[in-house]
Amino acid sequence: MTTYLRHKILLAMCAVALIAMADDGPKTTAYNFLNVPSSSHVYGLGGHNLTIIDDDINLVEQNPALLGPEYDHQVGINYMRYIGETNFAGLRYGQGVSEHGAVAVGIQYFGYGNLQGADIDGTKTGTFSASDIAFNVTYSHDISDRFRGGITLKYLYSKYEDYTAGAVAADLGVNYYDPDHEFSASLVAKNLGGQVKKFNEYKDNLPWDIQVGMSKMLGHAPVRLHLTAYELTRWKSPYYKIEDVNNPNSGLIKKESFGSNLLRHLVFGVDVLPTENLYLGIGYNYRTRTDMATYKRDFMSGLSVGGGLKVRAFAIGAAFARPHNGATTFMFNFNTSIGELLK
């Protein structure tokens, strides 16, 4: 691919992003568990990535266009120890259906532990559990030798105490990959859909989003750079910080500028790939760091690190992040190819 064509692809994706960001209205959503990645590779690179080309079916959750026949009979398992007592886990299986198509099915569970209940007067009524489950089916097909498109259909089920709700959603994605220059670019529309069963009379909105991204190997060096833009359905993204850090009871200051708005839409990541079976990654998410401005954040806020190793038919990955000094999160991935095991 020529440099001219690569620039055309990036400009087209940026145009879509700018159109989407024209809406600066309020954006209140539920089902925000859909924004939690199921890939430790992605989590180690900042939590959002649409363009990693790797032998890992866990990546398909970020972009259905990353699925392909190369994931035939591959199984992926993920687990995350999130903030507090929350635990997330999931399973995904992929299979090729033709020379240029593939399908995958998966389930993702989000458990929030035991919560304290209370009535309208504040009287405690005991503990209860809360959880969300996402069932998904993904299909992808090669549009050409370098373009691939995909769609993921999801059914979302929520149960909080005795209350239940359900929703349907879809992700639409396209990926361009140039193996000669090891360049990948993607455009994804996420969580398009709505509720089919409400908790009450109020209708909750899904966190729909448009995202773009790119990944590029740095010449002949074993380094891969990633840039992902997300939350592109609005431009303005203010945050708040304590007026006096030495006085926790002081008021909050609203922070918003062009540079801040821009950075709060971007995630930066770097992979070091010493061999084809090993990677080490680090990511920076400015939104995560600034969202923690009213908490006890530290140097690690906004940063995440991860790594992965493949041995024969097995691959493992792990990632770590600490949004603030009172919360440590850890994610673990495992995947294997049943076909390779049977050889």
Side-chain angles (χ1 to χ4, degrees):
M1 181 186 67
T2 65
T3 302
Y4 175 78
L5 182 54
R6 282 203 299 274
H7 289 167
K8 282 289 188 181
I9 293 170
L10 292 175
L11 286 173
M13 291 182 171
C14 289
V16 173
L18 289 172
I19 293 171
M21 293 168 72
D23 179 12
D24 284 336
K27 185 180 180 183
T28 303
T29 62
Y31 299 94
N32 291 303
F33 59 87
L34 293 171
N35 294 324
V36 179
S38 61
S39 164
S40 62
H41 198 163
V42 170
Y43 194 58
L45 292 174
H48 296 274
N49 194 297
L50 319 171
T51 49
I52 302 174
I53 305 300
D54 202 357
D55 186 22
D56 181 4
I57 196 170
N58 294 299
L59 298 168
V60 172
E61 173 266 333
Q62 289 283 297
N63 180 1
L66 296 181
L67 178 67
E70 62 271 18
Y71 292 136
D72 190 36
H73 298 303
Q74 188 172 134
V75 177
I77 300 172
N78 67 82
Y79 169 77
M80 173 184 265
R81 176 66 175 180
Y82 204 53
I83 299 171
E85 297 183 1
T86 54
N87 292 275
F88 307 153
L91 174 70
R92 182 173 273 104
Y93 171 77
Q95 182 171 319
V97 294
S98 68
E99 185 180 353
H100 298 287
V103 65
V105 294
I107 181 173
Q108 197 73 19
Y109 171 80
F110 304 83
Y112 308 112
N114 292 321
L115 306 174
Q116 178 64 56
D119 61 20
I120 193 171
D121 298 317
T123 303
K124 295 181 179 180
T125 58
T127 60
F128 66 94
S129 62
S131 62
D132 295 299
I133 303 177
F135 304 91
N136 55 77
V137 178
T138 301
Y139 175 75
S140 71
H141 193 83
D142 293 337
I143 301 171
S144 68
D145 60 339
R146 294 186 177 180
F147 278 97
R148 177 180 289 170
I151 179 172
T152 294
L153 301 178
K154 296 178 278 192
Y155 177 74
L156 314 173
Y157 174 79
S158 300
K159 187 177 189 302
Y160 303 160
E161 196 184 32
D162 293 329
Y163 301 92
T164 61
V168 292
D171 296 346
L172 304 174
V174 62
N175 173 256
Y176 174 90
Y177 179 57
D178 178 1
D180 297 329
H181 297 86
E182 297 188 87
F183 170 82
S184 174
S186 291
L187 169 65
V188 180
K190 289 193 171 183
N191 304 319
L192 306 175
Q195 280 189 304
V196 294
K197 184 181 185 301
K198 295 180 283 188
F199 278 120
N200 46 42
E201 295 303 314
Y202 182 77
K203 181 180 179 182
D204 291 316
N205 296 316
L206 270 64
W208 78 278
D209 195 13
I210 293 178
Q211 304 179 0
V212 296
M214 59 175 290
S215 298
K216 179 71 173 70
M217 289 294 292
L218 193 60
H220 297 291
V223 177
R224 181 168 53 190
L225 306 179
H226 306 274
L227 176 63
T228 305
Y230 72 113
E231 287 280 354
L232 298 184
T233 52
R234 60 173 179 172
W235 165 249
K236 293 182 179 179
S237 183
Y239 69 96
Y240 296 84
K241 65 183 302 183
I242 297 175
E243 185 175 6
D244 182 359
V245 294
N246 297 316
N247 180 12
N249 296 319
S250 64
L252 299 178
I253 303 174
K254 182 179 179 180
K255 304 292 289 184
E256 183 179 19
S257 65
F258 175 85
S260 173
N261 282 328
L262 177 63
L263 288 174
R264 280 174 59 82
H265 290 290
L266 301 177
V267 176
F268 305 89
V270 179
D271 271 329
V272 179
L273 308 153
T275 74
E276 63 179 8
N277 294 322
L278 174 67
Y279 77 84
L280 300 171
I282 184 170
Y284 179 69
N285 189 320
Y286 181 77
R287 178 185 292 269
T288 298
R289 180 169 180 81
T290 49
D291 281 346
M292 295 296 107
T294 56
Y295 294 87
K296 294 181 179 180
R297 69 183 186 189
D298 57 19
F299 172 75
M300 282 296 298
S301 298
L303 290 172
S304 55
V305 293
L309 174 67
K310 183 177 181 180
V311 180
R312 297 182 181 178
F314 301 97
I316 59 173
F320 164 88
R322 190 166 72 168
H324 60 85
N325 59 17
T328 299
T329 59
F330 178 81
M331 176 176 279
F332 173 80
N333 275 179
F334 169 83
N335 67 284
T336 185
S337 172
I338 297 175
E340 290 186 41
L341 288 175
L342 297 177
K343 289 182 180 179

